[in-house]
Structure formats: structure tokens, C-alpha cells
Amino acid sequence: MSADKNKKSISGFSKLTKLGKMKWLVENFFIDPENVMRELKSYWLQDDQQKVLDGFSENTISNFLLPYGVAPNFVINGKTYVVPMVTEESSVVAAASAAAKFWMTRGGFNAKVIDTQKIGQVHFLWEGASSKLFNIFPELKDRLKKDTAHITANMDKRGGGILDIELLDKTEDLSNYYQLKASFETCDSMGANFINSVLEEFGLILCDFIQEQKDFDEVEQECEVIMAILSNYTPDCLVRTWVECPVEDLGDFPNEMDARTFADRFCQAVWIATIDPYRATTHNKGIFNGIDAVVLATGNDFRAIEACGHTYASSKGQYRSLSSCKIKDGRFHFSMDLPLAVGTVGGLTKLHPIAKRSLELMGNPNAEELMGIIAATGLAQNFAALRSLVTTGIQKGHMKMHLQNILNHLEATEEEATAAMKHFHDKVVSFNNVRNLLDQLREPKSRRNLTNSN
Ligand code: MEV
């Protein structure tokens, strides 16, 4: 190991023991190394549990905690779920729960998986007349399938595997650039490892096959694979979710807003997110507040889900709302189509101890059922946000949770917290206002009386 003079960089860090890594960090980056060391260690789990977690990543020194909450009363396709959610944002779980309860008595959420195809690509360069490549493609396609059978055998047995392979001429965008675009069915797994293994093999087979072509000249027999990797854009791994009810069944809303006014305002709000990318981004962020929380709780890849969702939101040429709303024949209809490539086997889903429990909590759904649950939670989150936005505004609910966080931060006692909740029931919450109130409450009684009598 060697560290530079100012000790902010190091070589051989990954080779240090966990304690060695921590020691170097606390001694070089913190003013109170002993305390930091103690604190980091306090988040360690028992040895066997910690080993599992450490196995997921590299250079691990501790664990980063996030709240694990649940939203009960989610009725989806007639089945009632308690949905696990991992999020650091206050109000998200409360909002999902409130929306779930609201729709529970109005028919619940509906979810329908439209398709479950995943996509992968081999990007390669080849010089020659493209017709020559297309002529050999049918034979190449058979060969690609046949020569990857050893990788796909298990997936084939489970009812999945390679669905199709296309050859795409991309030479107008980049000289000599072609693509093998393959679609896959990966059943209950997200399938990233499976797809990437197949694609890398495709790359090798492709180059061998091209080299074997007797009527290709020397240049034509060369093929350069730039990369082989799945695409996280999976527009055909799509789930539709929706809620609907007669407008009058929506009930009454705060500020004496009737159901019809609410429904109209709600639809306008969704439409604004459809036509304005600034609003669409926040609108969709609210949807992902719900989606990411369940994706995380089930050990799925939230970066992949986010990336895909945002590309899908731009698929009509402009970034727009993922959800849509209409009022037709007196019925309120709120829906969303969303690509969701998730798994219930493989990856972290069964390795992460809590992810495994999350799946158990929902009755061990298969991947398609999980797609429905996740999408419904996203729609619920969106419903809750818009319901607040078009009626009371978002801050009322948010600030209640925020108040609790401020009170925790200022180490309020239970008694002080109760007094603060009462005080701020109809007042604006801010850090300063809460601190002032606590200062007042903490003043010795005699001084307080004196101040009050002045
Ligand atoms: C906050 O995390 C999410 C919202 O801003 C979403 C929205 O505005 O629709 C409330």
C-alpha cells in the first residue's frame, strides 16, 4: 500500500482488510477517528449476515441504512397486498397507503402485462456491400441460435430463451456500423447476466461465421465487434395499470371541492405534464417515488427501471407524462403504461435477506405479477401527489412529516413533540419556527411566565 503526501489517495486500497480500509479512512478524512470508527462499526450486522451484504459490492466498510416501510390495502386485480417500500423521502409511503385505501373501495387497481420481451444488441463494424451480409444472415441466425444452445438450454426449459434476432443496417448513422438486435424471454428473472452471456457469444460466432465465408474477400471476412450488451430500454416489456370509477364516486375533497371539479382539475394536471417537460419531469419523479421504493425493496435494479422509464417517457419525441387521465361517459379513468424489466428470481432478489422477505410479504409473486404491483404503486403515488396538488397543495402533508424530522433533529422530547404538533397544526413549519418554539418550551418556567406577563 502507498499513500500520497496529503493522504487523500492511495494505491492497493482494495487489498486492505475491512478494518485496514476503515483505519485509513478515519485517520485521513475525519477529525474524530475513534468516534467515526465506532459509528461505522455500529452499523455492521452479525458476521454471517454481513458477509452476504459485503458480497454484493466492493470496498465495503459499513452499511447505509434506509427506512423499510410498508403500504397496506393495495388491491390489485382483486388481490390485496401489503407493498414493501424502501425510501428516504417522508410522505411517500403515507401517500401510497392513502391512495391504496382510497381505491380499495372503488374497485382497486388493475394491472395487465402487455408483453415481457427484453432486448440485447451486438454492435459491430463490417466493410462491404450490405446485401452480402443480409444474404448470409438467415444462415447466421440459425448458427447463432444453435451455437448458444449450451447457454440457453436452462432458460429454454423454463419457457424462455432467444425470441428473435434481427440484422440492422446502421451505416447511415455511422460508417460500416451494423447491429444484431436480439429479443429474449427471461421468464421470472430480470435476465441481465443471461442476455449478456448470450450476446458475447453471439459476437464470437458472428466473427467466426463471417471469416468462414468463401466468397467474401479479405476485407469482407473481417468483422469488428465494438460491444455486446443488453439494452435497458425494453418498450416491449410493458405493463398497463389503471383505476376507474364513476366521477361521483370520487367523493368530496378538501376546500369543498366536488368530485366533478376534482376530476377535471386532475385531468388538466395530467395533461399539463403531457405537454410541458418541466412539469412532466416532476410528475414522473413522483411516479418513480413509488416505483423505485418497491424496486429497491425487492432487490431489483432501480437504475435500469428509471433509465428505461424516462426513455419511454420521451418515446413520442418529447419528454412527457407517463400517466394519462380521461373522463368518459361520466367515468374517471387514470392509467399508465410502463416498461418494467424486473425479476423475482436471480440477482439480489433471493440473496438479499430483506428483499426475499419483501417478496414473501407479497405472496412470492412471479415477475409478471410483480410488474403489476410495482406499476400500481407508481400510479398510486402519482394519484396521491396530484390529489394533493390540485386540492390543498403538497406542503400541508409534507410539512407534517418534515416537522417530525425537525423535531428529531432538535432532539425534542415526546412532550415537546406533542406540543409542537398541536402548535403547528395551522401554522407554517420551518426549521427556525420549530427551534423558536422549542426554545420557548425549554425556557425555565419562571422566565416563560415573566415573558408572557410582559
Ligand atoms: C415529490 O417527491 C414528488 C412530487 O413533486 C410529485 C409531483 O409534483 O407530482 C409531489
Side-chain angles (χ1 to χ4, degrees), residues 291-311:
I291 304 246
D292 284 354
V294 192
V295 170
L296 260 170
T298 55
N300 275 286
D301 182 343
F302 60 94
R303 288 85 57 212
I305 300 294
E306 283 259 1
C308 180
H310 295 303
T311 308

Side-chain angles (χ1 to χ4, degrees), residues 5-124:
K5 261 204 208 113
N6 68 12
K7 298 186 180 165
K8 297 286 187 224
S9 69
I10 184 171
S11 73
F13 181 74
S14 66
K15 302 213 167 54
L16 295 176
T17 61
K18 182 188 272 193
L19 276 174
K21 287 177 184 127
M22 292 170 78
K23 195 163 172 295
W24 181 75
L25 288 170
V26 297
E27 281 173 2
N28 291 294
F29 294 85
F30 297 92
I31 46 171
D32 51 350
E34 273 173 28
N35 270 339
V36 176
M37 190 76 156
R38 205 171 309 120
E39 199 177 329
L40 287 172
K41 275 188 181 175
S42 75
Y43 296 109
W44 284 4
L45 299 171
Q46 284 168 4
D47 275 0
D48 50 340
Q49 291 173 313
Q50 190 57 52
K51 224 182 226 159
V52 174
L53 239 68
D54 287 347
F56 298 156
S57 187
E58 300 82 31
N59 289 347
T60 53
I61 54 167
S62 188
N63 301 304
F64 184 92
L65 301 186
L66 280 176
Y68 180 72
V70 294
N73 300 320
F74 258 99
V75 175
I76 305 166
N77 292 343
K79 194 169 158 185
T80 307
Y81 297 89
V82 175
V83 176
M85 302 179 80
V86 172
T87 178
E88 87 300 347
E89 185 172 331
S90 51
S91 301
V92 164
V93 178
S97 307
K101 201 160 173 202
F102 180 93
W103 284 105
M104 184 173 69
T105 53
R106 291 166 176 84
F109 289 80
N110 303 282
K112 185 171 182 272
V113 171
I114 313 287
D115 209 340
T116 55
Q117 283 184 38
K118 318 271 165 59
I119 299 294
Q121 299 161 305
V122 179
H123 306 270
F124 67 99

Side-chain angles (χ1 to χ4, degrees), residues 153-180:
N154 271 341
M155 192 60 88
D156 290 341
K157 260 191 236 150
R158 284 156 55 191
I162 301 164
L163 298 176
D164 196 16
I165 312 165
E166 288 173 89
L167 172 66
L168 304 180
D169 182 344
K170 297 278 189 182
T171 53
E172 279 198 4
D173 300 325
L174 176 67
S175 297
N176 307 325
Y177 168 39
Y178 294 85
Q179 208 183 88
L180 290 178

Side-chain angles (χ1 to χ4, degrees), residues 89-92 273 279-287 289 381-389 394-395 398:
E89 185 172 331
S90 51
S91 301
V92 164
R279 175 56 205 152
T281 307
T282 318
H283 178 98
N284 290 345
K285 188 270 184 186
I287 292 173
N289 275 344
Q381 206 72 50
N382 193 210
F383 179 80
L386 293 179
R387 181 170 66 168
S388 294
L389 286 169
I394 208 80
Q395 282 312 81
H398 266 202

